[in-house]
């Protein structure tokens, strides 16, 4: 059984989705060292592993989620960084609104757990055409389930976590939103609800561009009938 530590820091600073890259840049500029976990590159090469510090918009406000070694790295932000930032042309003073620490046993769930993903970017150039040309809802969901399962397994591998059971994901609902543009490429943006037979931490990112708010995972709140 493997435990994954996460720390989600919510600031009181309103943030538009389009400002997430600017927020990331402002944090990186405020860090006096060149800790690669904050930006995933060292000037000459990229760190291709799963991002351990992720910049997000949660509840309409700026947030950072740290995973594993990223939790320890965050000390540098609060001890050494100047939290008077420029987010684009906006000058802001970051103030913490809430902090949530979590340690999750990544293990087989006794019953399927219901999750939601916001702004998931599952499609690449190859399967984009296939997905949008497929009229069958069943085939679309089957394709998305295969991609989702692969994304979760890639996430676990990036955290040096391996499971000894078959991961099962079942998409129960999805909605295609407005396309998201990254580096002049328009990507299909999907919100979905699914169940899985595994415990996963809150607010981690799944899939492409998870370091900048895409694929935000949360447990679906239970409703009383």
């Amino acid at each position: 059984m493997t435990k994954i530590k996460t720390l989600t820091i919510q600031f009181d600073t309103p943030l538009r989705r389009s400002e997430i890259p600017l927020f990331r840049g402002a944090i990186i500029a405020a860090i006096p060292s060149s800790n690669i976990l904050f930006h995933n590159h060292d000037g000459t090469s990229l760190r291709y592993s799963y991002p351990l510090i992720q910049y997000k918009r949660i509840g309409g406000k700026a947030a950072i989620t740290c995973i594993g070694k990223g939790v320890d790295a965050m000390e540098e932000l609060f001890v050494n960084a100047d939290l008077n930032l420029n987010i684009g042309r906006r000058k802001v003073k970051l103030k913490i609104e809430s902090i949530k620490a979590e340690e999750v046993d990544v293990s087989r769930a006794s019953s399927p757990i219901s999750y939601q993903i916001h702004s998931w970017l599952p499609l690449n150039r190859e399967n984009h055409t296939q997905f949008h040309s497929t009229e069958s809802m069943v085939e679309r969901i089957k394709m998305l389930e295969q991609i989702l399962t692969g994304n979760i397994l890639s996430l676990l591998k990036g955290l040096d976590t391996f499971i000894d059971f078959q991961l099962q994901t079942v998409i129960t609902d999805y909605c295609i939103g407005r396309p998201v543009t990254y580096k002049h490429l328009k990507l299909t943006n999907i919100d979905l609800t699914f169940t899985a037979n595994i415990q996963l931490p809150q607010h981690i990112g799944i899939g492409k561009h998870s370091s900048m708010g895409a694929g935000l995972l949360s447990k679906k709140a239970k409703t009383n009938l």
Side-chain angles (χ1 to χ4, degrees):
M1 185 179 297
T2 302
K3 293 185 177 181
I4 295 177
K5 290 192 305 181
T6 62
L7 181 72
T8 297
I9 304 161
Q10 177 89 56
F11 300 99
D12 67 352
T13 304
L15 193 73
R16 296 189 296 270
R17 177 171 176 78
S18 61
E19 292 182 309
I20 294 177
L22 299 175
F23 171 56
R24 175 180 179 269
I27 294 292
I28 292 170
I31 299 295
S33 80
S34 57
N35 191 327
I36 196 171
L37 295 184
F38 283 93
H39 45 72
N40 281 323
H41 63 81
D42 61 8
T44 58
S45 62
L46 294 174
R47 176 183 178 274
Y48 287 102
S49 299
Y50 181 73
L52 301 182
I53 295 179
Q54 302 174 359
Y55 305 86
K56 302 179 183 291
R57 178 178 182 265
I58 299 176
K61 298 179 181 179
I64 299 176
T65 294
C66 319
I67 304 110
K69 293 179 181 178
V71 175
D72 299 325
M74 282 306 294
E75 180 181 357
E76 190 171 346
L77 176 65
F78 298 112
V79 172
N80 300 317
D82 180 2
L83 296 183
N84 292 288
L85 307 179
N86 292 320
I87 299 179
R89 296 182 178 180
R90 256 196 320 141
K91 294 184 181 296
V92 302
K93 170 71 173 180
L94 281 188
K95 294 181 181 179
I96 296 174
E97 188 169 88
S98 65
I99 296 179
K100 182 176 181 182
E102 189 177 27
E103 190 170 57
V104 172
D105 289 324
V106 178
S107 57
R108 185 200 299 260
S110 56
S111 59
I113 299 173
S114 186
Y115 295 97
Q116 293 174 316
I117 300 182
H118 181 64
S119 295
W120 184 43
L121 308 174
L123 304 178
N124 54 32
R125 289 183 180 180
E126 289 73 26
N127 56 26
H128 178 275
T129 301
Q130 181 184 354
F131 178 82
H132 286 285
S133 63
T134 300
E135 296 183 2
S136 168
M137 184 69 70
V138 172
E139 290 302 314
R140 281 190 170 194
I141 290 176
K142 182 179 178 181
M143 182 187 302
L144 291 178
E145 286 176 346
Q146 291 174 343
I147 296 169
L148 177 60
T149 298
N151 280 182
I152 295 174
L153 292 175
S154 294
L155 178 160
L156 296 176
K157 182 180 179 181
L159 297 174
D160 295 321
T161 300
F162 301 93
I163 57 176
D164 58 359
F165 58 92
Q166 184 175 0
L167 177 63
Q168 297 175 333
T169 60
V170 177
I171 293 175
T172 54
D173 191 22
Y174 81 89
C175 175
I176 299 177
R178 295 176 61 183
V180 174
T181 301
Y182 279 96
K183 295 183 179 180
H184 309 295
L185 289 176
K186 284 191 175 181
L187 302 176
T188 300
N189 173 32
I190 295 178
D191 292 345
L192 76 157
T193 303
F194 72 99
T195 63
N197 61 335
I198 190 172
Q199 298 272 1
L200 293 171
Q202 286 273 80
H203 297 140
I204 60 173
I206 288 181
K208 289 193 290 287
H209 303 296
S210 57
S211 66
M212 289 192 288
L216 177 64
L217 178 82
S218 60
K219 288 185 180 178
K220 188 179 179 184
K222 294 181 179 179
T223 57
N224 295 321
L225 299 178

